[in-house]
Amino acid sequence: MTRPRATLRLQLHHDFTFDDALAQLDYFAALGVSHLYLSPITTAQPGSMHGYDTVDYGVVSEERGGEAALRRLANALHARDMGLIVDLVPNHMGVGGAHNAWWLDILEWGRHSAFARHFDVDWHSPDPVLRGKVLMPFLGAQYGDELASGRIALKFDAALARFFVQYGPHVCPICPTDYAALLQLANHADLDALAKSFQGLTTQPDDQARAAAARDALRTFVEREGTAAIDAVLQAHSGVNPVTRERLHRLLERQHFRLAWWRTATDEVNWRRFFDISALAGVRVERHDVFEAVHKLVLRLYADGVIDGLRIDHIDGLADPREYCERLRQRLISLRAHPSYIVVEKILARGETLRDDWPVQGTTGYDFMNDVGALLHDPAGAAPLAQTWTALSGQDASFADVALDARREVLAAQLAAELDHAARALHRIAREQPATRDFTYASVHRVVAQLAMHFPVYRIYPANGLRSAEDNRYFDLALQAAREALPRASLAALDQVDAWLGARAPDSGSGNGAKPSRAAQGAHATQAAQAAQATQAAQTSGHASPSGTTPATASGTSAARHTAQNPPATPLSHALIAQRTALTLFSQLTAPLAAKASEDTALYRYGRLLSRNEVGADPDDFARSAKDFHASNALRQRRFPCALLATATHDHKRGEDARARLAVLSEIAPEWSATLRAWSTLNQPQRRNDTAPSPASSGAVAGPGQWAPGPMAEATLYQTLVGCWPPDLDVGDEARVRELAERVAQWQLKALREAKLRTNWLSPDEAYESDCQAFLLDILAPQRRDGFLQALTAFVARIAPAGAVNTLLQTVLRLTSPGVPDLYQGTELWDFSLVDPDNRRPVDFALRAAALDNGAPAAKLAHWRDAHVKQAVIARLLALRARAPELLREGEYWPLEVRGVQAAHAIAFARRHGDTWAVVIGTRHAAALLDGDLPLVEPARWDDTAVVLPNGCPAVDLHDWLSDAIRNATRHDQDNVLYLRDVLSALPVAVLSNLAPA
């Protein structure tokens, strides 16, 4: 099975292995998912809890059980007619440490390593100290201090006969060209003889083979004689005294790496990182040999039928995502005849859609999570909540303005090296032509910085060095913003950079930067696309490099193929390579900048309503209408009907049910504003270093740094507590309250550091952080149970029923909208999780298995606080998907009209496949309609509100899969209508079908 009906995402690690997943398989099957969707299975850094720091693409992680356990799981799945989708990380690998053989080989042999072109290393750094070297920014303090402390030590691995430098867990091999001198320091006759076999070595491949043979002899000596003689060499490089320390320093200076303080990475790192994480190095998967090495294992597992599909992590980090998807698709097709399943992790900006020319099933579902999240919010709450946030925080900026400030800061403080790489690539182009040689590096750098700061999407996807019309939609917005921000003296450089970044095809002419018409650009784009197709055809056969470099071709390459991949060596081809390189570096700058500035900074600074501060969402896009939601669903049904539909992921900022509850605040904005002010006043005595009047009581705003946690952090803390407080948690249960407080404290520390306002990851203000934690623990302390804790729980109880309505609506929409619903582990019950690692906590599957039965969801509503009703809705609708797979995955999508006095509080649509229909109806914005603590609108409150059935839809004997009731339409005004007072009498949601359960 390769086309999933529904997936369930599992986070694997050493405490939850393939065999642990296998033990829960009966439950997963009973729940109704068709595929397990696993976090990365390749070998990661030891102890990794997520698997995204791969160190060996070729081996299934032994910590997760190894390949034998993976195959046991796959066999058991297939025996149940289920399948397996795995997460793959082609963009980056874990480096540092001592476990990545590719990286260690680079450190040992430098640019002549067999793996030197597997990573995006700039071997031609403008810094002479880094030319031909790899920066290793892993030292905890400055190099000189760490050297003097003795924490940088020369060691010897007897099993490998290898000298290496060790710093903590980090290992850096010494190049064998230095072994002769090292061995001679031992003053040992046998080692002197062995030293001769290392003399005269270079780093060339032939000499690497010589070195391997010499090391074999050294290994034999050590096995026979021990390491006593070698120990003398190590002592001669000890850091304990100035003489030996200087010798160690000189040895290190000759290596192909440079050990450095971790803070240097921001400015000097000369290899592409994953975002700003120096423990993850970018992989050049665009090269054919690297692609094959990265995918060797998963392709073999796919060919063997072990796995059925792939989720591609961080697609925007790749040099050419389109080409990558095409190559991957072709490789999968060549292995198994039936269609393969590929989804990509892609963050789409407001108004952006996944490109049609990517041969994938769609995204991993952040776009749907945004669509359904916005639907839950009442647009009437946007303005008053913004006013409240301004009053409390003293800031009236939009999220876009906050994000722009964050971009400026992140670019300067965290991605300076990446900006430098892109600017230097463009400056090299300038130096190629007399007409542009006077554009200085500084002017190009200023221009690129402004373009990146104002870029409205993660990146563009040019073909063969040229932007498409779709690319220009976004690039032109950045271009205009940069033009307004830059001084007039920089505008000529801006126009030239625009040309080099794909506005026109490069040529060998004057290079004056004149911008062609859009029609001319279209002609250039067509030519470029044809050239790209020829290149990609060669790549599919395994002989071309999409990076524009000349790869090693297989013997017997035909002349035609050789021409396709290696066009004549003209100035145009050279310029095209340079332009493609610059575009790649620019795109690999804008993507991490967008992520770090928005997701990892601005979303922690802007606090109007945290339920809209989510990965893939834009808080300025506060709410969407039912019409907007229908339009998004219809578009997905036409373009990517098998895309994943997610509402919770391993990367979400807060759980799906926490967001659903917080969305209720948009319906009661004035009440929430008053509550915030009351709580701020109530908890003022618990603040640290409070020297300012309370903003809640006086309207004055405390200045930054005057008290902890400060108005912004305090306001977002209250939202977090409201969102994550379990509905069954009693304030008298001190142990559970303390457990929750510790979880929130972990979130708070991350939120404060990510916001980068009064503390951050690079230079944390530990005193401020401690004060913030003390404030949190104080307001949740047992002695506050009759004060703030009572107020908090009373408010949560007030909005929790409306939050549960939102949860059930969100759940039904995910399971019935066009696409493939994805369940994140454990979220079939309440998901009040916070940002990772909280959202990756262990799951009690036994509890969930015990709760699952065949009862109708409506029968469980009375006890909704245990979330069994949510689980039952999931199971019932997955059963419907199993009964009629095409109906809800690919069936036609029909928005339905809702009439009557409460029409604004309902949403409805129909799905049709052949003669099979499903009608989906849900309650929205229910806070004003609910009475009591049951998440159900009293039937009489619906009055005349009704859903109009489309022509052709059966009107009688419709089975409600959620209540087991039989519903019949009423004829009214020549239409068949379903009155909500009838249809929604048992649950706030209904799914009616002319197909009854088996």
Side-chain angles (χ1 to χ4, degrees):
M1 175 185 292
T2 59
R3 300 184 69 188
R5 294 189 315 271
T7 61
L8 189 148
R9 165 83 181 205
L10 294 176
Q11 290 295 118
L12 301 173
H13 44 78
H14 54 79
D15 290 328
F16 191 84
T17 65
F18 300 123
D19 284 335
D20 292 319
L22 177 60
Q24 305 301 330
L25 210 51
D26 287 341
Y27 168 62
F28 300 149
L31 188 63
V33 298
S34 68
H35 286 63
L36 292 188
Y37 157 31
L38 305 181
S39 63
I41 63 171
T42 49
T43 299
Q45 292 280 19
S48 174
M49 297 297 289
H50 48 76
Y52 288 98
D53 45 0
T54 300
V55 295
D56 190 340
Y57 283 111
V59 177
V60 176
S61 168
E62 291 296 332
E63 286 191 349
R64 290 154 178 78
E67 186 168 335
L70 172 64
R71 287 179 177 269
R72 283 196 298 273
L73 175 61
N75 290 338
L77 283 165
H78 295 152
R80 291 169 170 81
D81 198 26
M82 298 168 69
L84 197 60
I85 296 167
V86 299
D87 200 340
L88 181 67
V89 193
N91 175 68
H92 54 268
M93 294 186 79
V95 295
H99 299 89
N100 190 325
W102 294 0
W103 189 255
L104 294 178
D105 199 75
I106 287 179
L107 301 183
E108 186 171 31
W109 293 105
R111 71 182 76 184
H112 293 130
S113 163
F115 305 101
R117 297 172 73 187
H118 280 46
F119 298 93
D120 269 323
V121 179
D122 182 2
W123 297 104
H124 306 283
S125 172
D127 182 354
V129 177
L130 272 178
R131 286 177 192 160
K133 295 179 182 285
V134 174
L135 187 73
M136 288 288 285
F138 295 106
L139 301 183
Q142 295 204 30
Y143 169 76
D145 294 336
E146 296 292 61
L147 189 68
S149 72
R151 286 189 285 271
I152 301 173
L154 181 66
K155 296 192 176 183
F156 182 75
D157 184 333
L160 298 176
R162 182 178 72 179
F163 286 100
F164 63 94
V165 167
Q166 184 164 19
Y167 175 83
H170 303 290
V171 166
C172 299
I174 298 298
C175 184
T177 57
D178 277 303
Y179 278 31
L182 289 172
L183 295 176
Q184 288 168 352
L185 283 173
N187 293 321
H188 188 285
D190 288 343
L191 288 183
D192 285 343
L194 286 171
K196 294 179 180 178
S197 61
F198 288 98
Q199 286 178 343
L201 282 177
T202 70
T203 58
Q204 295 297 326
D206 289 346
D207 278 0
Q208 292 182 37
R210 264 186 63 201
R215 277 210 286 222
D216 286 341
L218 178 58
R219 183 185 302 107
T220 300
F221 167 82
V222 171
E223 290 171 352
R224 184 182 69 247
E225 302 291 340
T227 60
I230 298 292
D231 290 342
V233 177
L234 306 184
Q235 283 299 114
H237 292 82
S238 171
V240 298
N241 68 69
V243 174
T244 57
R245 183 164 62 245
E246 176 62 22
R247 183 180 290 121
L248 175 59
H249 170 64
R250 291 199 305 269
L251 175 66
L252 291 174
E253 290 291 273
R254 295 194 296 272
Q255 302 313 304
H256 302 294
F257 56 84
R258 178 193 155 203
L259 289 170
W261 189 22
W262 64 270
R263 289 181 183 272
T264 65
T266 292
D267 299 319
E268 294 187 342
V269 69
N270 62 336
W271 42 273
R272 181 170 64 89
R273 301 175 291 174
F274 173 67
F275 295 173
D276 62 339
I277 303 173
S278 297
L280 299 173
V283 176
R284 296 187 64 191
V285 75
E286 66 271 16
R287 289 178 51 82
H288 171 71
D289 55 338
V290 181
F291 179 94
E292 291 299 322
V294 166
H295 295 81
K296 181 179 181 180
L297 172 66
V298 294
L299 292 176
R300 175 170 60 81
L301 294 173
Y302 183 79
D304 290 349
V306 176
I307 63 175
D308 301 284
L310 292 171
R311 180 256 197 199
I312 305 303
D313 181 68
H314 192 51
I315 192 75
D316 277 337
L318 306 184
D320 189 339
R322 177 195 301 107
E323 187 277 333
Y324 171 84
C325 293
E326 289 172 346
R327 179 183 292 191
L328 179 60
R329 173 70 65 191
Q330 290 302 315
R331 291 291 281 114
L332 293 177
I333 288 173
S334 72
L335 298 173
R336 283 162 65 177
H338 50 70
S340 52
Y341 186 76
I342 306 171
V343 288
V344 294
E345 185 212 24
K346 166 64 183 161
I347 304 299
L348 297 167
R350 194 190 331 185
E352 185 185 15
T353 58
L354 188 64
R355 300 297 174 95
D356 285 316
D357 54 358
W358 291 16
V360 298
Q361 268 63 46
T363 73
T364 55
Y366 291 116
D367 45 341
F368 177 80
M369 186 160 71
N370 180 47
D371 292 341
V372 73
L375 178 74
L376 300 182
H377 287 72
D378 186 345
L385 288 174
Q387 292 168 1
T388 300
W389 175 248
T390 296
L392 290 174
S393 68
Q395 297 189 0
D396 62 355
S398 66
F399 177 76
D401 291 336
V402 173
L404 180 59
D405 287 342
R407 282 172 176 259
R408 186 176 294 108
E409 295 170 23
V410 168
L411 196 59
Q414 293 172 273
L415 298 176
E418 287 75 8
L419 171 60
D420 176 68
H421 297 163
R424 282 196 289 109
L426 289 161
H427 189 236
R428 280 194 290 269
I429 298 176
R431 291 295 177 91
E432 292 289 324
Q433 295 291 340
T436 59
R437 61 186 285 179
D438 288 336
F439 283 111
T440 64
Y441 167 79
S443 67
V444 171
H445 188 277
R446 280 193 296 272
V447 164
V448 175
Q450 288 297 326
L451 286 172
M453 277 192 291
H454 291 94
F455 219 71
V457 293
Y458 264 50
R459 59 170 289 174
I460 54 174
Y461 308 96
N464 215 38
L466 286 178
R467 302 195 303 262
S468 67
E470 183 74 4
D471 292 328
N472 282 325
R473 278 184 57 201
Y474 306 111
F475 195 95
D476 286 353
L477 294 174
L479 194 65
Q480 181 58 37
R483 185 166 284 116
E484 294 171 0
L486 286 165
R488 288 179 58 85
S490 295
L491 297 185
L494 176 64
D495 289 339
Q496 186 61 66
V497 167
D498 174 33
W500 290 329
L501 288 179
R504 63 176 177 83
D507 56 45
S508 56
S510 63
N512 60 13
K515 192 171 181 178
S517 68
R518 289 296 189 207
Q521 290 181 52
H524 284 311
T526 300
Q527 296 167 5
Q530 292 170 346
Q533 289 171 3
T535 304
Q536 289 157 3
Q539 290 162 358
T540 301
S541 299
H543 299 293
S545 169
S547 67
T549 57
T550 303
T553 57
S555 60
T557 302
S558 69
R561 182 176 296 153
H562 184 77
T563 301
Q565 80 172 69
N566 297 300
T570 65
L572 177 60
S573 64
H574 174 78
L576 180 58
I577 290 171
Q579 184 157 309
R580 290 178 63 178
T581 299
L583 270 165
T584 296
L585 288 171
F586 181 74
S587 295
Q588 289 175 331
L589 167 67
T590 60
L593 177 59
K596 291 301 298 180
S598 179
E599 295 172 28
D600 294 344
T601 305
L603 288 183
Y604 290 97
R605 293 182 176 182
Y606 183 77
R608 172 170 61 178
L609 190 55
L610 295 185
S611 45
R612 291 301 292 140
N613 289 26
E614 191 50 81
V615 179
D618 179 353
D620 284 342
D621 182 19
F622 185 77
R624 292 188 184 177
S625 67
K627 181 180 179 181
D628 294 332
F629 182 78
H630 290 318
S632 295
N633 266 356
L635 182 64
R636 188 182 309 105
Q637 192 276 332
R638 291 194 305 271
R639 298 179 68 242
F640 296 104
C642 293
L644 288 185
L645 308 177
T647 49
T649 75
H650 60 289
D651 278 334
H652 65 231
K653 302 297 184 187
R654 50 198 52 82
E656 62 185 23
D657 300 319
R659 294 195 310 273
R661 183 189 290 169
L662 286 173
V664 177
L665 302 182
S666 69
E667 304 176 54
I668 57 168
E671 180 183 346
W672 172 241
S673 297
T675 299
L676 264 182
R677 295 173 186 276
W679 289 354
S680 182
T681 300
L682 180 63
N683 290 324
Q684 185 174 352
Q686 276 59 254
R687 294 174 182 165
R688 269 50 181 179
N689 305 315
D690 188 0
T691 60
S694 166
S697 59
S698 68
V701 177
Q706 290 182 300
W707 55 276
M712 297 167 67
E714 185 179 358
T716 56
L717 172 60
Y718 293 144
Q719 288 190 58
T720 299
L721 291 171
V722 167
C724 74
W725 191 273
D728 63 343
L729 178 54
D730 188 283
V731 295
D733 190 338
E734 294 184 13
R736 286 189 65 198
V737 172
R738 176 71 186 188
E739 179 188 2
L740 178 65
E742 290 171 353
R743 287 177 48 214
V744 175
Q746 185 180 47
W747 161 84
Q748 182 186 56
L749 177 62
K750 182 168 185 174
L752 294 171
R753 289 185 175 181
E754 295 284 29
K756 306 173 186 68
L757 294 173
R758 294 176 62 177
T759 187
N760 57 61
W761 295 105
L762 298 178
S763 53
D765 184 338
E766 294 180 358
Y768 169 69
E769 294 170 354
S770 178
D771 285 345
C772 289
Q773 181 175 348
F775 175 83
L776 165 64
L777 297 180
D778 271 358
I779 67 174
L780 296 184
Q783 58 266 35
R784 315 282 178 229
R785 71 177 57 165
D786 296 326
F788 173 67
L789 278 175
Q790 183 59 42
L792 171 63
T793 54
F795 184 82
V796 169
R798 154 89 171 83
I799 68 169
V805 171
N806 281 346
T807 281
L808 294 176
L809 175 60
Q810 180 173 253
T811 300
V812 166
L813 294 178
R814 172 164 50 102
L815 291 160
T816 58
S817 292
V820 176
D822 173 48
L823 285 70
Y824 182 62
Q825 59 178 26
T827 59
E828 57 271 31
L829 296 185
W830 291 129
D831 176 23
F832 296 117
S833 62
L834 302 171
V835 71
D836 67 279
D838 190 69
N839 59 14
R840 303 176 189 181
R841 287 174 296 143
V843 177
D844 188 343
F845 286 113
L847 173 70
R848 286 155 176 78
L852 185 63
D853 58 31
N854 293 322
K860 302 176 185 294
L861 187 65
H863 304 286
W864 62 272
R865 286 181 178 81
D866 61 15
H868 292 180
V869 62
K870 178 186 179 185
Q871 182 191 46
V873 166
I874 292 170
R876 276 297 180 97
L877 294 183
L878 290 180
L880 175 57
R881 297 186 76 97
R883 182 78 185 282
E886 295 84 3
L887 172 65
L888 295 179
R889 183 176 58 201
E890 302 163 16
E892 299 169 8
Y893 185 86
W894 299 55
L896 299 184
E897 177 188 356
V898 183
R899 299 175 182 169
V901 295
Q902 306 293 0
H905 294 279
I907 182 172
F909 57 85
R911 305 296 308 278
R912 176 188 181 184
H913 189 268
D915 294 329
T916 305
W917 287 77
V919 176
V920 179
I921 304 171
T923 307
R924 63 189 292 248
H925 301 166
L929 301 181
L930 297 181
D931 297 313
D933 66 352
L934 195 66
L936 182 68
V937 177
E938 287 291 330
R941 297 293 298 270
W942 287 113
D943 200 344
D944 65 341
T945 310
V947 171
V948 180
L949 295 180
N951 292 332
C953 179
V956 297
D957 296 333
L958 293 173
H959 187 95
D960 185 354
W961 280 67
L962 303 183
S963 70
D964 286 340
I966 303 299
R967 307 295 186 186
N968 295 306
T970 301
R971 193 72 176 171
H972 181 74
D973 291 340
Q974 298 183 337
D975 291 318
N976 289 324
V977 300
L978 293 167
Y979 284 103
L980 300 196
R981 60 177 179 253
D982 299 323
V983 176
L984 299 182
S985 60
L987 270 181
V989 287
V991 178
L992 313 176
S993 178
N994 60 334
L995 184 69

Tab-separated table of all heavy atoms in Angstrom, residues 375-393:
chain	number	residue	atom	x	y	z
A	375	LEU	N	-9.786	29.721	10.789
A	375	LEU	CA	-11.238	29.569	10.760
A	375	LEU	C	-11.831	29.627	12.163
A	375	LEU	O	-12.961	30.102	12.348
A	375	LEU	CB	-11.597	28.232	10.101
A	375	LEU	CG	-13.086	27.886	10.042
A	375	LEU	CD1	-13.786	28.733	8.989
A	375	LEU	CD2	-13.287	26.399	9.751
A	376	LEU	N	-11.108	29.158	13.161
A	376	LEU	CA	-11.623	29.113	14.529
A	376	LEU	C	-11.672	30.485	15.183
A	376	LEU	O	-12.303	30.645	16.232
A	376	LEU	CB	-10.765	28.182	15.386
A	376	LEU	CG	-10.660	26.720	14.946
A	376	LEU	CD1	-9.819	25.935	15.947
A	376	LEU	CD2	-12.031	26.087	14.788
A	377	HIS	N	-11.018	31.472	14.619
A	377	HIS	CA	-10.909	32.782	15.248
A	377	HIS	C	-11.990	33.737	14.751
A	377	HIS	O	-12.321	33.762	13.564
A	377	HIS	CB	-9.520	33.376	15.001
A	377	HIS	CG	-8.445	32.708	15.795
A	377	HIS	ND1	-8.001	31.433	15.509
A	377	HIS	CD2	-7.740	33.119	16.886
A	377	HIS	CE1	-7.065	31.097	16.378
A	377	HIS	NE2	-6.890	32.098	17.218
A	378	ASP	N	-12.490	34.513	15.686
A	378	ASP	CA	-13.519	35.517	15.378
A	378	ASP	C	-12.832	36.807	14.952
A	378	ASP	O	-12.065	37.391	15.725
A	378	ASP	CB	-14.370	35.758	16.624
A	378	ASP	CG	-15.551	36.674	16.359
A	378	ASP	OD1	-15.572	37.351	15.314
A	378	ASP	OD2	-16.456	36.717	17.218
A	379	PRO	N	-13.075	37.266	13.736
A	379	PRO	CA	-12.395	38.491	13.285
A	379	PRO	C	-12.715	39.705	14.140
A	379	PRO	O	-11.913	40.651	14.199
A	379	PRO	CB	-12.892	38.657	11.841
A	379	PRO	CG	-14.161	37.873	11.769
A	379	PRO	CD	-13.977	36.721	12.705
A	380	ALA	N	-13.862	39.683	14.824
A	380	ALA	CA	-14.226	40.831	15.661
A	380	ALA	C	-13.261	41.018	16.818
A	380	ALA	O	-13.182	42.107	17.408
A	380	ALA	CB	-15.648	40.662	16.188
A	381	GLY	N	-12.523	39.968	17.164
A	381	GLY	CA	-11.598	40.086	18.288
A	381	GLY	C	-10.258	40.676	17.934
A	381	GLY	O	-9.476	41.009	18.838
A	382	ALA	N	-9.963	40.805	16.662
A	382	ALA	CA	-8.621	41.238	16.256
A	382	ALA	C	-8.271	42.619	16.796
A	382	ALA	O	-7.211	42.803	17.412
A	382	ALA	CB	-8.504	41.208	14.736
A	383	ALA	N	-9.132	43.595	16.571
A	383	ALA	CA	-8.815	44.965	16.977
A	383	ALA	C	-8.758	45.132	18.490
A	383	ALA	O	-7.777	45.686	19.013
A	383	ALA	CB	-9.822	45.938	16.359
A	384	PRO	N	-9.767	44.680	19.251
A	384	PRO	CA	-9.663	44.873	20.710
A	384	PRO	C	-8.511	44.115	21.344
A	384	PRO	O	-7.883	44.614	22.289
A	384	PRO	CB	-11.023	44.372	21.228
A	384	PRO	CG	-11.611	43.572	20.135
A	384	PRO	CD	-11.077	44.147	18.871
A	385	LEU	N	-8.182	42.932	20.839
A	385	LEU	CA	-7.040	42.205	21.381
A	385	LEU	C	-5.738	42.924	21.062
A	385	LEU	O	-4.804	42.941	21.878
A	385	LEU	CB	-7.011	40.777	20.839
A	385	LEU	CG	-8.086	39.831	21.378
A	385	LEU	CD1	-8.036	38.493	20.640
A	385	LEU	CD2	-7.929	39.625	22.879
A	386	ALA	N	-5.672	43.529	19.885
A	386	ALA	CA	-4.479	44.306	19.538
A	386	ALA	C	-4.348	45.525	20.445
A	386	ALA	O	-3.240	45.881	20.869
A	386	ALA	CB	-4.550	44.736	18.077
A	387	GLN	N	-5.473	46.164	20.767
A	387	GLN	CA	-5.433	47.324	21.665
A	387	GLN	C	-4.965	46.916	23.056
A	387	GLN	O	-4.178	47.617	23.698
A	387	GLN	CB	-6.819	47.965	21.720
A	387	GLN	CG	-7.252	48.621	20.423
A	387	GLN	CD	-8.719	48.991	20.415
A	387	GLN	OE1	-9.447	48.783	21.396
A	387	GLN	NE2	-9.191	49.537	19.293
A	388	THR	N	-5.431	45.756	23.505
A	388	THR	CA	-5.009	45.264	24.816
A	388	THR	C	-3.519	44.972	24.831
A	388	THR	O	-2.803	45.324	25.779
A	388	THR	CB	-5.796	44.005	25.193
A	388	THR	OG1	-7.189	44.318	25.240
A	388	THR	CG2	-5.349	43.446	26.529
A	389	TRP	N	-3.048	44.328	23.782
A	389	TRP	CA	-1.621	44.022	23.702
A	389	TRP	C	-0.783	45.298	23.691
A	389	TRP	O	0.255	45.382	24.364
A	389	TRP	CB	-1.338	43.186	22.462
A	389	TRP	CG	0.118	42.917	22.210
A	389	TRP	CD1	0.879	43.397	21.193
A	389	TRP	CD2	0.998	42.113	23.015
A	389	TRP	NE1	2.175	42.937	21.288
A	389	TRP	CE2	2.278	42.150	22.410
A	389	TRP	CE3	0.837	41.373	24.173
A	389	TRP	CZ2	3.371	41.474	22.921
A	389	TRP	CZ3	1.933	40.692	24.682
A	389	TRP	CH2	3.184	40.746	24.075
A	390	THR	N	-1.244	46.294	22.968
A	390	THR	CA	-0.525	47.566	22.934
A	390	THR	C	-0.489	48.205	24.316
A	390	THR	O	0.546	48.714	24.766
A	390	THR	CB	-1.189	48.515	21.919
A	390	THR	OG1	-1.076	47.954	20.608
A	390	THR	CG2	-0.535	49.880	21.944
A	391	ALA	N	-1.631	48.176	25.011
A	391	ALA	CA	-1.689	48.793	26.337
A	391	ALA	C	-0.765	48.085	27.327
A	391	ALA	O	-0.110	48.732	28.156
A	391	ALA	CB	-3.127	48.776	26.848
A	392	LEU	N	-0.696	46.775	27.235
A	392	LEU	CA	0.127	46.024	28.173
A	392	LEU	C	1.611	46.069	27.819
A	392	LEU	O	2.470	46.146	28.696
A	392	LEU	CB	-0.348	44.574	28.240
A	392	LEU	CG	-1.700	44.326	28.908
A	392	LEU	CD1	-2.099	42.870	28.779
A	392	LEU	CD2	-1.650	44.730	30.380
A	393	SER	N	1.902	45.993	26.528
A	393	SER	CA	3.294	45.871	26.099
A	393	SER	C	3.939	47.201	25.751
A	393	SER	O	5.172	47.297	25.701
A	393	SER	CB	3.375	44.951	24.871
A	393	SER	OG	2.771	45.571	23.741
